[in-house]
Amino acid sequence: MELSRRRFIQGVGALGGVAATGFSFDVIAQAAAGAKKGKASTATAVEIRKVKSGCAICPNFCGIEGTVVNGIVRTIYPDTARADFYNHGICPKGASGMFNTYDPYRLKKPLRRTNPKKGPNEDPRWVEISWEEAFSTVAARLKKIREEDPRKLIWQHGQGKYLIGEEFASAWTKAFGTPNMSHRTTACEAARHVADELTWAGAGILPDLKYSKLLLNFGANYYEGEQASRWLDWQTMQSIDQGLKTVVVEPRLSSTAAKANEWVPVRPGKDVVLILAMAKVLIDAGTIDEPFLVEYTNAPQLVDAAGIILKDKDGKTPLVWDTVSDSAKPYVPGVKPALKGSYKVEGKPYRTAFQVLADNVKDITPEYAQEVADVPAATITRLAQTFAKEARIGQTIEIDGQKLRYRPAVLYTFRGLAAKEHGVQGWRTGLILNMLVGNIDAVGGLILGGAYARPQYFDVSKCEYPPTRADLAQSVFFPYANHHIAQTSNITVQNPKAFGLPYAPEMQIYYGSNRPVSIPNSWQQFEGLTKTFNVVIDILMTENAWYADIVLPDKTYLESWHYAPTRGTPDTGHMAIRQPMTNPYNLEQDAFSIMWELSKRLGFSDKFAEESNKAWKLKEVLVKTGRDYTPREIVETIWADKTKKDFSVALEQGFVGKKKDVKSKYLSGVEDKFKGPGKAKMKLYADQLIDTYYKAEGIAKKNNLASVDLAKLRIAYSPLPNKEHAFPTPHLEAKDYPLYLITHKRMYRNQSGNTVNNVILNQAIGKDAATNTVQVNAATARDLKIKSGDTVTIETRVGKIKGAAQVIQGIRPDTIAVSYHYGQWSPGYSPDSHKGIAINQVLEHHPDLISGHNSFNDTKCKLYKA
C-alpha cells in the first residue's frame, strides 16, 4: 500500500513530495505560501480582511469570522454577533479548519482510474486528466444510463448535504430521472427523526433548557458530538447556574456524564426497559398529566385485540369512549373521552390506547428493569418520582402576558436511544415518558420543530414491491424509512434480484461521502463499490474515492459559496451564507458547478433550474431557465428570495437572525395543531405501524418473499415500545461473546475524512486527539490481565481488529467503548490518519427495520491481549 500512496501523492500535484514524508507545521506554512506561488512573500503591502462565514466541518454550522492576510486564512474565531442567536464558541475542528484547505494531500486535479480491479490493496494507477476529459467521460456514462433507464444511477452524499445543500442534489436527481438520491441520516439520527414523525408528524426536538429544572439525558453528548452542541453546551451551563439538574443515562462516563449531577450506567441497549419501568411507576402512582393525554394525544382512542384503532363509519375517524353518552364516538365538541378502561362496542372488546400501554408495562417493574438494564430498582423508582415531581403537572407560568403550561422536566436523546436495531422504538419510549407528564411544547419541556408539519407520516406506508429505490426505502423491506436512505445501496447492488429490484444499478456518484467507512460491517459495504462505475466528488482521497473510477476535486467551505444551513434553537431562527476566504490551489470547480455543467451537457439544465425552485421552495426570486449560474449567483438568488434583503447584508454579516416570541415558541405547535376535539392527535399509540405491518405481511405472503423476516418485522412495527425492543439480534444470538461493544463520537474528528489530516488536531493538541483507544473497565482489565497501552484484539461475529487498551473506571465492567473516527486506511491520507481503530469494520449490521438507522451500539464481542 505504501507504493500506491507514493504514486498517488506524485500524481495529484504540488507538495506531493513534502506530503509523503508526513505532516509538520512547516509543511502547512509551505503549503499556504507555495499554493500562492510566492505571491504573498513578494507583496509590498499587507491586506487584512475579516470575512463572516459559517463552518461546515460538522452539522453544528457555527458562525465564524476568518482573518485573511494577503489571501491566506490566518485565524478562525467564532462570529460573536451570532452569540445571541446560536453558537457562543467553536470547537477545535472549526478553529483549525483552515488546515483542511491548505492540506497538501488535497485533491487538486481530476483523476481517472486505469486499473479496473478495486480493493484496499489494489493500486488504482491514477492518472491526472483535464476537466474537459472528466466531464466528457462522466457525461457519456450518464447519457447512456439516462437513455436506457435513469434509475441505474445512484447519487449519495454525506457531509455534502450540508455544503451546497441537499435541495440541489434532490433537484439534480429528479431532473435526471432517478429516484436514487440518498444521504447520511441512517448513520446519524434517522431513528430519532422517524420516531418523531410517527408521534407528532414532524422532526426536530430540543429541550427548553432556559426554563428546565431537570434534564434526563439518554446519550446526547453535547459537550462533544451532538448536532446542537454549540448551543446545548452553553445553554446547559447557563441553566445549571439557574438550578438545572442533569442526569445522564449511558454505559460510558462521557464528557457530559462527567459534568452531570448523576451518572446512571445502564447496560447497553436496555434503555427501553428502564424507561418503560419508569412509565409504570408514573402510571401506578397516578402522577401523569391526564388532561394532556386526553386533549392532545390519541391515548383515549379505542383499540381492538389485533391492535387496530376503531374507526367511524367513514373508515377514517378514530373513536373514543364518550363518558357522557357511554358509547363510542368521534372526539368532537361535547364528547368527554375516557382515558382508561375496557369497553364493548357491538359485542367486541376494546381498550383505550392508554390502557393498552398500562397493561403492557404491568410486568415491567423496576425490579424487572434492574435485572435487564442492571440499574437498581430503587434508582429507577427515584428517577421516575423525581421526573414527575419536577414536571410540576398541572402548573402554569406567565411569560410576556401569556399563561402557559409549565413542565420543567424533560427527557432528551440524540443517538443514545437511536443508533440501534430498535432505534425508533428506543426514542418512542422517551417521547411517551415526556407525554405522560405533558411536557411537549410546554415551558421547560420538549420543544418540537414543526408539529403536524408532515401529516403524511400518520398514514400507512405504501410498502412498495417491487422497490422503486435501490436503498429499499418505503418498500416492503423497510416500509417506514423515509429519510432518503434505508438499506445502504452497496448491499443492494451486490444482488439486486434478491430484493426484487427491477433494474441493476450501474453507476454511483458520491459527494462528500465516505459511506462504507462510516457504517457497520464496512468491508461488506466496500464490496458494493466493486459492482458499479463510481464518481467521487471530495476534497481528499477518501477510502470511498479509492474505489472510484473518476475522482473530481471539490472546494472546501472556505473556498466556496453556499446558502448555508443553520441550527435553530427553541428561541431563535436564522439564515446564513458561506463565502470564499481563499483559493490557494486555484481550483476551478465546486460541487454545484460540476452538477450544473453535467446538466448542461446532458440537456436538462432548465429542468434542473425548475426542480431547484421547488426543492428550495423559492416563491418570488427564482432560478431562471435559459441561462447559466455561477455558485455565487445561485446563492444570491436563494438569499434574495428567503430573506428579502440585499446581498450586501450577507457579505457583511454572514447571516440574519430572528428571536421567537412566546406565541411562535409555545402556542403554534401542539397547542394549535392537536389540542381539543376535532383535531389530529399526537400518537402515543402509533397505530400506523401495526396497520403497516399487516399490509407488509400481506404483500410478503402474496409474493412469497422469504427475504422479508415477518417475525422481526412484527417486533419492530409494534404500535407501542415493549421489552422485546431491548434485545437486538446480537444480544439474542452472540451467546459466546461476553462484552457489549459501543461506539461514540469525539470532538477531534469527523468521519467523512475532512479532518483526519488536520495537523493541529493530530499534533498540537496532543496524542490523545490523534488516536483512539479501546476503553475497558479496570476490573475487567484486571481479570483479562490487560494494562493501559497493551495491544488488544476485539473479536466479533464479523471479524477481528487490534488496538491499544485504555483502562478506566468510567465504563461498565461488561462494556468496552471505541470512538469511530480513526484508523482510516486510504493511502491518500497522511500517516497520522491511519492511527487507531476503524471500529466500524467489526460491528454487526442490523439496521432498524422502521427507519433504516444503522445499529452502532448492539454488537457483542470478546476482548483479549493480542
Side-chain angles (χ1 to χ4, degrees):
M1 237 198 275
E2 180 63 21
L3 179 61
S4 298
R5 187 180 70 81
R6 285 202 299 269
R7 287 181 178 172
F8 163 71
I9 292 299
Q10 292 167 359
V12 295
L15 297 171
V18 178
T21 67
F23 267 134
S24 72
F25 291 108
D26 289 340
V27 169
I28 295 299
Q30 294 171 25
K36 286 294 184 181
K37 300 179 180 178
K39 290 183 181 179
S41 63
T42 60
T44 57
V46 176
E47 178 195 42
I48 301 176
R49 294 187 298 125
K50 298 286 187 179
V51 182
K52 297 286 187 77
S53 191
C55 188
I57 292 177
C58 86
N60 267 268
F61 312 129
C62 297
I64 58 174
E65 181 177 85
T67 303
V68 184
V69 181
N70 287 350
I72 297 174
V73 182
R74 295 294 186 182
T75 65
I76 296 175
Y77 283 99
D79 177 9
T80 57
R82 301 192 203 194
D84 286 342
F85 295 89
Y86 183 46
N87 62 292
H88 292 254
I90 55 177
C91 75
K93 296 192 298 287
S96 59
M98 73 284 285
F99 292 105
N100 300 336
T101 295
Y102 293 114
D103 187 348
Y105 284 76
R106 283 282 303 277
L107 292 164
K108 306 171 188 74
K109 298 287 185 181
L111 303 174
R112 177 168 55 82
R113 182 185 206 92
T114 60
N115 177 10
K117 294 182 179 179
K118 297 175 181 177
N121 297 309
E122 291 290 342
D123 182 353
R125 298 200 292 269
W126 301 113
V127 295
E128 286 187 3
I129 58 176
S130 67
W131 275 104
E132 175 56 37
E133 182 180 347
F135 281 131
S136 296
T137 302
V138 175
R141 288 260 179 179
L142 290 172
K143 182 176 185 295
K144 181 176 182 294
I145 288 174
R146 193 165 186 244
E147 290 173 349
E148 292 178 354
D149 188 343
R151 298 176 299 176
K152 293 181 179 180
L153 172 68
I154 299 171
W155 170 286
Q156 301 197 49
H157 53 257
Q159 193 66 7
K161 171 182 179 179
Y162 302 125
L163 298 173
I164 65 168
E166 183 165 275
E167 290 84 352
F168 283 127
S170 175
W172 193 91
T173 51
K174 285 183 178 178
F176 182 86
T178 180
N180 291 315
M181 183 204 77
S182 60
H183 60 55
R184 65 191 288 276
T185 308
T186 53
C188 188
E189 57 172 335
R192 199 184 76 163
H193 281 329
V194 174
D196 286 341
E197 289 159 351
L198 290 166
T199 306
W200 49 273
I205 53 168
L206 280 173
D208 191 22
L209 293 179
K210 185 176 180 180
Y211 295 100
S212 298
K213 297 302 179 185
L214 175 65
L215 171 64
L216 290 183
N217 177 7
F218 280 73
N221 190 1
Y222 44 75
Y223 290 141
E224 288 198 355
E226 222 266 18
Q227 278 198 350
S229 289
R230 299 290 75 77
W231 174 78
L232 276 169
D233 57 6
W234 175 84
Q235 185 61 68
T236 303
M237 297 307 295
Q238 297 297 307
S239 299
I240 286 172
D241 292 339
Q242 298 167 12
L244 173 71
K245 295 186 183 303
T246 62
V247 178
V248 173
V249 184
E250 61 182 18
R252 181 184 71 95
L253 186 68
S254 66
S255 300
T256 303
K259 295 176 176 64
N261 295 88
E262 182 177 1
W263 171 44
V264 180
V266 65
R267 183 172 285 147
K270 311 306 180 183
D271 326 62
V272 172
V273 165
L274 187 152
I275 299 173
L276 289 175
M278 292 176 66
K280 175 179 170 56
V281 172
L282 298 184
I283 292 169
D284 289 352
T287 50
I288 59 175
D289 192 338
E290 292 196 19
F292 179 85
L293 292 168
V294 170
E295 296 177 30
Y296 296 77
T297 82
N298 72 342
Q301 291 174 7
L302 297 171
V303 182
D304 70 11
I308 304 297
I309 293 282
L310 176 63
K311 304 289 177 53
D312 202 2
K313 293 178 181 179
D314 62 6
K316 297 178 181 179
T317 307
L319 298 182
V320 300
W321 189 260
D322 177 26
T323 59
V324 176
S325 64
D326 208 27
S327 64
K329 287 188 174 182
Y331 183 19
V332 296
V335 169
K336 293 186 178 180
L339 177 63
K340 308 170 185 177
S342 301
Y343 307 92
K344 282 194 174 182
V345 181
E346 296 180 353
K348 187 176 178 180
Y350 290 88
R351 293 176 291 170
T352 67
F354 176 84
Q355 190 63 52
V356 176
L357 170 65
D359 292 344
N360 283 2
V361 299
K362 276 184 178 179
D363 61 345
I364 306 181
T365 63
E367 290 73 22
Y368 173 76
Q370 174 178 318
E371 179 184 338
V372 173
D374 196 31
V375 174
T379 299
I380 296 170
T381 300
R382 173 176 53 81
L383 288 176
Q385 293 171 340
T386 304
F387 190 62
K389 179 182 176 182
E390 292 294 348
R392 306 179 194 193
I393 297 167
Q395 291 190 22
T396 60
I397 189 173
E398 187 172 304
I399 302 177
D400 295 342
Q402 296 279 0
K403 186 178 180 181
L404 305 165
R405 290 181 297 114
Y406 183 46
R407 304 288 184 275
V410 60
L411 187 154
Y412 180 72
T413 193
F414 181 57
R415 297 178 82 247
L417 290 174
K420 301 171 182 176
E421 183 177 352
H422 296 299
V424 166
Q425 297 289 3
W427 177 227
R428 282 269 299 150
T429 59
L431 286 169
I432 286 171
L433 200 72
N434 285 319
M435 282 189 276
L436 287 178
V437 299
N439 73 16
I440 308 296
D441 273 353
V443 177
L446 189 70
I447 304 301
L448 309 185
Y452 207 51
R454 304 170 184 174
Q456 66 270 27
Y457 295 131
F458 281 2
D459 296 336
V460 179
S461 168
K462 53 188 176 182
C463 294
E464 288 185 334
Y465 188 81
T468 296
R469 293 167 56 98
D471 63 7
L472 312 181
Q474 298 186 64
S475 73
V476 70
F477 298 97
F478 292 88
Y480 238 93
N482 55 60
H483 279 270
H484 297 302
I485 187 167
Q487 175 167 285
T488 53
S489 298
N490 278 322
I491 292 178
T492 310
V493 299
Q494 295 177 52
N495 190 0
K497 291 182 179 179
F499 303 99
L501 202 69
Y503 57 91
E506 295 179 1
M507 182 175 180
Q508 299 191 71
I509 299 178
Y510 284 86
Y511 166 40
S513 171
N514 203 14
R515 189 172 310 283
V517 168
S518 304
I519 59 178
N521 202 343
S522 297
W523 295 118
Q524 178 191 36
Q525 309 300 327
F526 278 114
E527 279 302 305
L529 291 172
T530 67
K531 309 296 182 181
T532 53
F533 184 91
N534 307 313
V535 177
V536 170
I537 305 169
D538 216 318
I539 65 171
L540 291 173
M541 180 57 67
T542 64
E543 286 81 3
N544 213 28
W546 199 252
Y547 278 73
D549 295 276
I550 297 288
V551 180
L552 303 177
D554 191 18
K555 294 180 180 179
T556 70
Y557 69 99
L558 298 180
E559 301 166 320
S560 305
W561 290 98
H562 300 144
Y563 182 81
T566 60
R567 286 287 171 197
T569 77
D571 295 292
T572 65
H574 11 86
M575 292 174 280
I577 69 157
R578 300 190 192 102
Q579 54 184 314
M581 298 185 188
T582 187
N583 186 2
Y585 297 113
N586 298 312
L587 299 180
E588 301 174 44
Q589 308 286 345
D590 70 0
F592 174 79
S593 64
I594 290 170
M595 294 167 74
W596 189 265
E597 179 64 23
L598 289 173
S599 72
K600 284 175 58 181
R601 291 182 180 233
L602 293 166
F604 64 86
S605 58
D606 283 353
K607 181 67 172 173
F608 182 28
E610 293 168 354
E611 292 293 346
S612 295
N613 290 325
K614 296 176 186 176
W616 285 101
K617 298 180 181 177
L618 304 182
K619 297 177 181 178
E620 298 177 15
V621 184
L622 304 177
V623 182
K624 298 178 181 178
T625 59
R627 58 156 292 186
D628 285 341
Y629 279 89
T630 65
R632 171 172 172 153
E633 289 170 339
I634 206 75
V635 172
E636 286 188 76
T637 300
I638 301 169
W639 174 269
D641 188 81
K642 296 287 187 182
T643 69
K644 306 299 185 289
K645 294 183 180 294
D646 190 81
F647 200 59
S648 62
V649 175
L651 299 177
E652 292 168 10
Q653 300 178 10
F655 86 111
V656 291
K658 182 179 180 180
K659 295 186 179 181
K660 299 175 184 176
D661 58 23
V662 169
K663 182 177 180 180
S664 62
K665 179 178 179 180
Y666 297 114
L667 299 177
S668 63
V670 300
E671 299 289 340
D672 178 52
K673 299 298 190 296
F674 297 130
K675 184 181 180 182
K679 293 186 177 180
K681 298 298 169 195
M682 294 182 66
K683 301 276 191 177
L684 177 122
Y685 185 90
D687 54 288
Q688 70 271 52
L689 284 181
I690 190 67
D691 292 340
T692 292
Y693 168 75
Y694 287 130
K695 183 177 180 179
E697 180 188 47
I699 294 170
K701 288 182 177 179
K702 179 181 177 180
N703 292 280
N704 297 314
L705 299 179
S707 53
V708 177
D709 190 329
L710 290 175
K712 284 190 174 183
L713 202 67
R714 182 65 180 85
I715 292 170
Y717 277 71
S718 168
L720 287 169
N722 58 58
K723 62 179 69 174
E724 289 181 291
H725 299 132
F727 295 93
T729 299
H731 293 195
L732 296 172
E733 296 180 356
K735 301 294 186 181
D736 297 329
Y737 295 80
L739 297 173
Y740 297 92
L741 171 58
I742 64 172
T743 67
H744 60 98
K745 186 179 291 187
R746 300 186 78 203
M747 180 77 75
Y748 312 114
R749 287 281 177 94
N750 203 55
Q751 70 189 75
S752 66
N754 290 355
T755 54
V756 295
N757 283 346
N758 189 313
V759 67
I760 289 292
L761 302 182
N762 288 333
Q763 293 186 14
I765 292 179
K767 64 180 182 180
D768 177 63
T771 189
N772 62 355
T773 58
V774 180
Q775 294 182 323
V776 57
N777 181 272
T780 306
R782 186 170 56 250
D783 291 343
L784 297 174
K785 296 181 173 54
I786 291 171
K787 297 178 181 179
S788 286
D790 285 350
T791 299
V792 294
T793 297
I794 300 172
E795 179 183 343
T796 73
R797 295 195 298 174
V798 170
K800 300 178 182 179
I801 198 165
K802 294 179 181 180
Q806 181 186 14
V807 179
I808 61 175
Q809 295 290 345
I811 193 169
R812 289 179 52 87
D814 59 2
T815 303
I816 64 170
V818 183
S819 63
Y820 54 81
H821 311 286
Y822 294 82
Q824 295 183 248
W825 54 261
S826 170
Y829 291 139
S830 78
D832 278 336
S833 73
H834 300 160
K835 294 178 181 177
I837 312 169
I839 192 61
N840 288 343
Q841 292 178 8
V842 297
L843 295 184
E844 293 193 32
H845 184 63
H846 301 285
D848 179 7
L849 292 176
I850 301 178
S851 65
H853 201 141
N854 292 290
S855 51
F856 290 90
N857 295 303
D858 294 335
T859 300
K860 298 200 71 179
C861 69
K862 298 176 182 177
L863 181 70
Y864 44 87
K865 288 182 70 171

